[in-house]
Structures are given as structure tokens and as C-alpha cells.
Short mmCIF file of all heavy atoms in Angstrom, two decimals:
data_model
loop_
_atom_site.label_atom_id
_atom_site.label_comp_id
_atom_site.label_asym_id
_atom_site.label_seq_id
_atom_site.Cartn_x
_atom_site.Cartn_y
_atom_site.Cartn_z
N ARG A 26 94.76 114.42 98.04
CA ARG A 26 95.22 114.43 96.65
C ARG A 26 94.55 115.55 95.86
O ARG A 26 93.93 115.32 94.81
CB ARG A 26 94.93 113.07 95.98
CG ARG A 26 95.77 111.92 96.45
CD ARG A 26 97.25 112.09 96.06
NE ARG A 26 97.41 112.33 94.63
CZ ARG A 26 97.49 111.35 93.72
NH1 ARG A 26 97.45 110.09 94.11
NH2 ARG A 26 97.67 111.66 92.45
N PRO A 27 94.70 116.80 96.29
CA PRO A 27 94.07 117.91 95.56
C PRO A 27 94.61 118.05 94.14
O PRO A 27 93.98 118.67 93.28
CB PRO A 27 94.41 119.13 96.41
CG PRO A 27 95.62 118.74 97.20
CD PRO A 27 95.45 117.28 97.47
N ASP A 28 95.80 117.48 93.87
CA ASP A 28 96.38 117.55 92.53
C ASP A 28 95.51 116.87 91.48
O ASP A 28 95.61 117.19 90.28
CB ASP A 28 97.76 116.91 92.52
CG ASP A 28 97.71 115.44 92.97
OD1 ASP A 28 97.40 115.20 94.16
OD2 ASP A 28 97.98 114.56 92.12
N LEU A 29 94.65 115.92 91.91
CA LEU A 29 93.81 115.21 90.93
C LEU A 29 92.82 116.13 90.24
O LEU A 29 92.35 115.85 89.13
CB LEU A 29 93.07 114.06 91.63
CG LEU A 29 93.93 112.91 92.15
CD1 LEU A 29 93.08 111.89 92.89
CD2 LEU A 29 94.70 112.25 91.01
N LEU A 30 92.49 117.23 90.90
CA LEU A 30 91.56 118.18 90.29
C LEU A 30 92.15 118.86 89.07
O LEU A 30 91.42 119.31 88.17
CB LEU A 30 91.14 119.22 91.33
CG LEU A 30 89.97 120.15 90.96
CD1 LEU A 30 88.71 119.35 90.67
CD2 LEU A 30 89.72 121.17 92.07
N SER A 31 93.46 118.91 89.00
CA SER A 31 94.12 119.60 87.88
C SER A 31 93.96 118.85 86.56
O SER A 31 94.30 119.38 85.50
CB SER A 31 95.61 119.78 88.19
OG SER A 31 96.26 118.52 88.30
N HIS A 32 93.47 117.63 86.62
CA HIS A 32 93.24 116.86 85.39
C HIS A 32 92.08 117.41 84.57
O HIS A 32 91.91 117.02 83.41
CB HIS A 32 92.96 115.39 85.72
CG HIS A 32 94.16 114.63 86.16
ND1 HIS A 32 94.91 113.84 85.31
CD2 HIS A 32 94.77 114.53 87.37
CE1 HIS A 32 95.90 113.28 85.97
NE2 HIS A 32 95.83 113.68 87.24
N PHE A 33 91.30 118.30 85.16
CA PHE A 33 90.07 118.74 84.50
C PHE A 33 90.02 120.26 84.41
O PHE A 33 90.47 120.97 85.33
CB PHE A 33 88.86 118.24 85.29
CG PHE A 33 88.90 116.75 85.55
CD1 PHE A 33 89.36 116.26 86.76
CD2 PHE A 33 88.52 115.85 84.56
CE1 PHE A 33 89.43 114.89 87.00
CE2 PHE A 33 88.59 114.49 84.79
CZ PHE A 33 89.04 114.00 86.01
N PRO A 34 89.53 120.80 83.29
CA PRO A 34 89.44 122.25 83.14
C PRO A 34 88.60 122.88 84.24
O PRO A 34 87.68 122.25 84.78
CB PRO A 34 88.76 122.40 81.77
CG PRO A 34 89.00 121.11 81.05
CD PRO A 34 89.04 120.06 82.13
N GLU A 35 88.90 124.13 84.57
CA GLU A 35 88.20 124.80 85.66
C GLU A 35 86.72 124.99 85.38
O GLU A 35 85.92 125.12 86.31
CB GLU A 35 88.85 126.16 85.95
CG GLU A 35 90.25 126.03 86.55
CD GLU A 35 90.82 127.37 86.95
OE1 GLU A 35 90.09 128.39 86.80
OE2 GLU A 35 91.98 127.43 87.41
N ASP A 36 86.36 125.05 84.10
CA ASP A 36 84.94 125.27 83.76
C ASP A 36 84.19 123.96 83.52
O ASP A 36 83.05 123.95 83.07
CB ASP A 36 84.83 126.16 82.53
CG ASP A 36 85.46 125.55 81.28
OD1 ASP A 36 86.20 124.53 81.43
OD2 ASP A 36 85.25 126.08 80.17
N GLN A 37 84.83 122.82 83.81
CA GLN A 37 84.18 121.52 83.60
C GLN A 37 83.32 121.19 84.81
O GLN A 37 83.83 120.95 85.90
CB GLN A 37 85.21 120.42 83.37
CG GLN A 37 84.59 119.06 83.05
CD GLN A 37 85.64 118.03 82.64
OE1 GLN A 37 86.74 118.38 82.23
NE2 GLN A 37 85.28 116.76 82.74
N TYR A 38 82.00 121.16 84.61
CA TYR A 38 81.06 120.94 85.73
C TYR A 38 81.04 119.49 86.16
O TYR A 38 81.02 119.18 87.35
CB TYR A 38 79.67 121.41 85.31
CG TYR A 38 78.62 121.21 86.38
CD1 TYR A 38 78.64 121.96 87.55
CD2 TYR A 38 77.62 120.26 86.22
CE1 TYR A 38 77.68 121.79 88.54
CE2 TYR A 38 76.66 120.06 87.20
CZ TYR A 38 76.69 120.83 88.35
OH TYR A 38 75.75 120.64 89.33
N LEU A 39 81.00 118.56 85.18
CA LEU A 39 80.96 117.13 85.48
C LEU A 39 82.35 116.54 85.32
O LEU A 39 83.00 116.74 84.30
CB LEU A 39 79.97 116.41 84.57
CG LEU A 39 78.51 116.84 84.69
CD1 LEU A 39 77.63 116.01 83.74
CD2 LEU A 39 78.01 116.70 86.11
N ILE A 40 82.78 115.79 86.33
CA ILE A 40 84.11 115.19 86.34
C ILE A 40 83.98 113.71 86.01
O ILE A 40 83.42 112.94 86.78
CB ILE A 40 84.78 115.35 87.72
CG1 ILE A 40 84.79 116.81 88.14
CG2 ILE A 40 86.18 114.77 87.70
CD1 ILE A 40 85.53 117.73 87.21
N GLN A 41 84.49 113.31 84.83
CA GLN A 41 84.35 111.91 84.44
C GLN A 41 85.34 111.56 83.33
O GLN A 41 85.90 112.44 82.69
CB GLN A 41 82.93 111.64 83.94
CG GLN A 41 82.51 112.53 82.77
CD GLN A 41 81.09 112.26 82.33
OE1 GLN A 41 80.55 111.20 82.59
NE2 GLN A 41 80.48 113.22 81.67
N GLY A 42 85.53 110.26 83.14
CA GLY A 42 86.27 109.79 81.97
C GLY A 42 87.77 109.94 82.04
O GLY A 42 88.41 110.28 81.05
N ASN A 43 88.38 109.67 83.21
CA ASN A 43 89.83 109.78 83.31
C ASN A 43 90.38 108.53 83.99
O ASN A 43 90.17 108.32 85.19
CB ASN A 43 90.21 111.04 84.10
CG ASN A 43 91.70 111.31 84.09
OD1 ASN A 43 92.50 110.45 84.43
ND2 ASN A 43 92.06 112.52 83.68
N ALA A 44 91.07 107.71 83.23
CA ALA A 44 91.57 106.44 83.76
C ALA A 44 92.64 106.66 84.83
O ALA A 44 92.75 105.87 85.79
CB ALA A 44 92.13 105.59 82.62
N GLU A 45 93.44 107.72 84.71
CA GLU A 45 94.48 107.99 85.70
C GLU A 45 93.87 108.31 87.06
O GLU A 45 94.36 107.84 88.10
CB GLU A 45 95.36 109.15 85.23
CG GLU A 45 96.57 109.38 86.12
CD GLU A 45 97.49 110.45 85.58
OE1 GLU A 45 97.37 110.79 84.37
OE2 GLU A 45 98.34 110.96 86.34
N VAL A 46 92.80 109.08 87.06
CA VAL A 46 92.10 109.39 88.30
C VAL A 46 91.49 108.12 88.88
O VAL A 46 91.53 107.89 90.10
CB VAL A 46 91.02 110.46 88.07
CG1 VAL A 46 90.13 110.61 89.30
CG2 VAL A 46 91.65 111.79 87.71
N ASP A 47 90.95 107.28 88.03
CA ASP A 47 90.36 106.03 88.48
C ASP A 47 91.40 105.15 89.18
O ASP A 47 91.15 104.60 90.25
CB ASP A 47 89.75 105.29 87.28
CG ASP A 47 88.95 104.07 87.69
OD1 ASP A 47 88.27 104.13 88.73
OD2 ASP A 47 89.01 103.05 86.99
N ASP A 48 92.58 105.04 88.58
CA ASP A 48 93.64 104.23 89.20
C ASP A 48 94.03 104.79 90.56
O ASP A 48 94.28 104.04 91.52
CB ASP A 48 94.87 104.20 88.28
CG ASP A 48 94.64 103.38 87.02
OD1 ASP A 48 93.70 102.55 87.02
OD2 ASP A 48 95.38 103.57 86.04
N ALA A 49 94.09 106.11 90.65
CA ALA A 49 94.45 106.74 91.92
C ALA A 49 93.40 106.46 92.98
O ALA A 49 93.73 106.17 94.14
CB ALA A 49 94.64 108.25 91.72
N LEU A 50 92.13 106.53 92.60
CA LEU A 50 91.05 106.29 93.56
C LEU A 50 91.02 104.83 94.01
O LEU A 50 90.73 104.54 95.17
CB LEU A 50 89.71 106.69 92.95
CG LEU A 50 89.47 108.20 92.76
CD1 LEU A 50 88.16 108.46 92.05
CD2 LEU A 50 89.49 108.92 94.11
N VAL A 51 91.32 103.91 93.10
CA VAL A 51 91.38 102.49 93.48
C VAL A 51 92.40 102.30 94.60
O VAL A 51 92.15 101.62 95.60
CB VAL A 51 91.76 101.62 92.26
CG1 VAL A 51 92.12 100.21 92.71
CG2 VAL A 51 90.61 101.57 91.28
N GLU A 52 93.57 102.91 94.46
CA GLU A 52 94.62 102.77 95.46
C GLU A 52 94.24 103.47 96.77
O GLU A 52 94.43 102.93 97.86
CB GLU A 52 95.93 103.35 94.91
CG GLU A 52 97.09 103.22 95.87
CD GLU A 52 98.38 103.75 95.29
OE1 GLU A 52 98.42 104.03 94.07
OE2 GLU A 52 99.37 103.90 96.05
N ILE A 53 93.69 104.65 96.66
CA ILE A 53 93.36 105.44 97.86
C ILE A 53 92.28 104.75 98.69
O ILE A 53 92.42 104.58 99.91
CB ILE A 53 92.89 106.85 97.44
CG1 ILE A 53 94.05 107.65 96.87
CG2 ILE A 53 92.26 107.58 98.63
CD1 ILE A 53 93.62 108.93 96.18
N ILE A 54 91.19 104.33 98.06
CA ILE A 54 90.06 103.76 98.80
C ILE A 54 90.44 102.44 99.45
O ILE A 54 89.87 102.04 100.47
CB ILE A 54 88.84 103.60 97.88
CG1 ILE A 54 88.42 104.96 97.31
CG2 ILE A 54 87.67 102.97 98.63
CD1 ILE A 54 88.09 106.01 98.37
N SER A 55 91.43 101.76 98.92
CA SER A 55 91.83 100.47 99.49
C SER A 55 92.62 100.62 100.79
O SER A 55 92.97 99.61 101.42
CB SER A 55 92.68 99.70 98.47
OG SER A 55 93.94 100.34 98.28
N THR A 56 92.91 101.85 101.21
CA THR A 56 93.74 102.06 102.40
C THR A 56 92.94 102.17 103.69
O THR A 56 93.53 102.20 104.78
CB THR A 56 94.59 103.33 102.24
OG1 THR A 56 93.72 104.48 102.13
CG2 THR A 56 95.48 103.24 101.01
N ARG A 57 91.60 102.25 103.63
CA ARG A 57 90.79 102.36 104.84
C ARG A 57 89.58 101.45 104.74
O ARG A 57 89.18 101.02 103.65
CB ARG A 57 90.30 103.80 105.05
CG ARG A 57 91.39 104.84 105.23
CD ARG A 57 90.79 106.15 105.72
NE ARG A 57 91.76 107.24 105.72
CZ ARG A 57 91.53 108.45 106.21
NH1 ARG A 57 90.34 108.72 106.74
NH2 ARG A 57 92.46 109.39 106.17
N ASP A 58 88.98 101.18 105.91
CA ASP A 58 87.78 100.35 105.95
C ASP A 58 86.56 101.14 105.50
O ASP A 58 86.56 102.39 105.51
CB ASP A 58 87.54 99.83 107.37
CG ASP A 58 88.60 98.83 107.81
OD1 ASP A 58 89.36 98.36 106.94
OD2 ASP A 58 88.66 98.53 109.03
N LEU A 59 85.51 100.42 105.13
CA LEU A 59 84.29 101.05 104.63
C LEU A 59 83.71 102.03 105.64
O LEU A 59 83.34 103.16 105.28
CB LEU A 59 83.25 99.96 104.30
CG LEU A 59 81.88 100.44 103.81
CD1 LEU A 59 82.01 101.23 102.51
CD2 LEU A 59 80.94 99.25 103.60
N GLY A 60 83.60 101.63 106.90
CA GLY A 60 83.03 102.52 107.90
C GLY A 60 83.82 103.80 108.07
O GLY A 60 83.24 104.88 108.29
N GLU A 61 85.16 103.73 107.97
CA GLU A 61 85.99 104.92 108.09
C GLU A 61 85.72 105.89 106.94
O GLU A 61 85.62 107.11 107.14
CB GLU A 61 87.47 104.53 108.10
CG GLU A 61 87.90 103.70 109.29
CD GLU A 61 89.36 103.29 109.19
OE1 GLU A 61 90.23 104.14 109.45
OE2 GLU A 61 89.62 102.12 108.82
N TRP A 62 85.62 105.35 105.73
CA TRP A 62 85.33 106.23 104.59
C TRP A 62 83.94 106.84 104.70
O TRP A 62 83.76 108.03 104.39
CB TRP A 62 85.45 105.44 103.28
CG TRP A 62 86.84 105.15 102.83
CD1 TRP A 62 87.38 103.93 102.53
CD2 TRP A 62 87.89 106.10 102.61
NE1 TRP A 62 88.68 104.05 102.15
CE2 TRP A 62 89.04 105.37 102.18
CE3 TRP A 62 87.99 107.48 102.73
CZ2 TRP A 62 90.25 105.99 101.87
CZ3 TRP A 62 89.20 108.11 102.44
CH2 TRP A 62 90.31 107.37 102.01
N MET A 63 82.97 106.07 105.14
CA MET A 63 81.62 106.61 105.29
C MET A 63 81.61 107.78 106.28
O MET A 63 80.96 108.81 106.04
CB MET A 63 80.65 105.51 105.75
CG MET A 63 80.32 104.47 104.69
SD MET A 63 79.48 105.17 103.24
CE MET A 63 77.99 105.82 104.00
N GLU A 64 82.32 107.63 107.37
CA GLU A 64 82.37 108.69 108.38
C GLU A 64 83.06 109.93 107.83
O GLU A 64 82.58 111.06 108.00
CB GLU A 64 83.09 108.18 109.62
CG GLU A 64 83.12 109.19 110.76
CD GLU A 64 83.76 108.63 112.01
OE1 GLU A 64 84.06 107.41 112.05
OE2 GLU A 64 83.96 109.41 112.98
N LEU A 65 84.20 109.75 107.17
CA LEU A 65 84.95 110.88 106.63
C LEU A 65 84.16 111.63 105.57
O LEU A 65 84.03 112.86 105.62
CB LEU A 65 86.28 110.40 106.06
CG LEU A 65 87.10 111.46 105.30
CD1 LEU A 65 87.51 112.60 106.23
CD2 LEU A 65 88.34 110.83 104.65
N PHE A 66 83.64 110.89 104.60
CA PHE A 66 82.96 111.56 103.49
C PHE A 66 81.63 112.18 103.92
O PHE A 66 81.17 113.15 103.32
CB PHE A 66 82.76 110.57 102.34
CG PHE A 66 84.03 110.20 101.64
CD1 PHE A 66 84.29 108.89 101.27
CD2 PHE A 66 84.99 111.16 101.35
CE1 PHE A 66 85.47 108.54 100.64
CE2 PHE A 66 86.18 110.83 100.70
CZ PHE A 66 86.42 109.51 100.35
N SER A 67 81.03 111.63 104.96
CA SER A 67 79.83 112.26 105.50
C SER A 67 80.17 113.62 106.11
O SER A 67 79.42 114.59 105.95
CB SER A 67 79.20 111.35 106.57
OG SER A 67 78.10 111.98 107.18
N GLU A 68 81.30 113.70 106.77
CA GLU A 68 81.72 114.95 107.41
C GLU A 68 82.01 116.04 106.40
O GLU A 68 81.70 117.22 106.63
CB GLU A 68 82.96 114.71 108.27
CG GLU A 68 82.70 113.87 109.52
CD GLU A 68 83.98 113.55 110.27
OE1 GLU A 68 85.08 113.92 109.76
OE2 GLU A 68 83.90 112.93 111.36
#
């Protein structure tokens, strides 16, 4: 979902405070098990 980055200005260092992004992450993270996400994000 690289499109989610477009919600924030290019010069914005800290990414926070967007309910639409939060809703998207809730749906995305619910699609895999905890161990799978830990392995992917570690890589």
C-alpha cells in the first residue's frame, strides 16, 4: 500500500494523526498471523 504515503507531505518527518491510515492498517494487519508480520517487518 505505497499509496498511503501520499497522505503526508514529503517534508513531514513524523507520520501521525490520520484516521484513514489507521483504518487501512487495522484491515491490513488482520490478514496475517503475528509471527508472519514479525518475520516480514524484521526483514
Side-chain angles (χ1 to χ4, degrees):
R26 289 293 306 274
D28 59 293
L29 294 177
L30 191 59
S31 64
H32 286 263
F33 308 98
E35 292 186 3
D36 62 348
Q37 184 172 339
Y38 179 69
L39 298 181
I40 306 300
Q41 58 182 338
N43 188 306
E45 187 175 343
V46 170
D47 188 38
D48 290 341
L50 289 175
V51 168
E52 181 178 349
I53 291 168
I54 300 303
S55 69
T56 63
R57 298 192 189 186
D58 292 347
L59 178 61
E61 295 177 77
W62 284 125
M63 289 297 299
E64 183 176 353
L65 173 62
F66 290 137
S67 176
E68 290 175 356

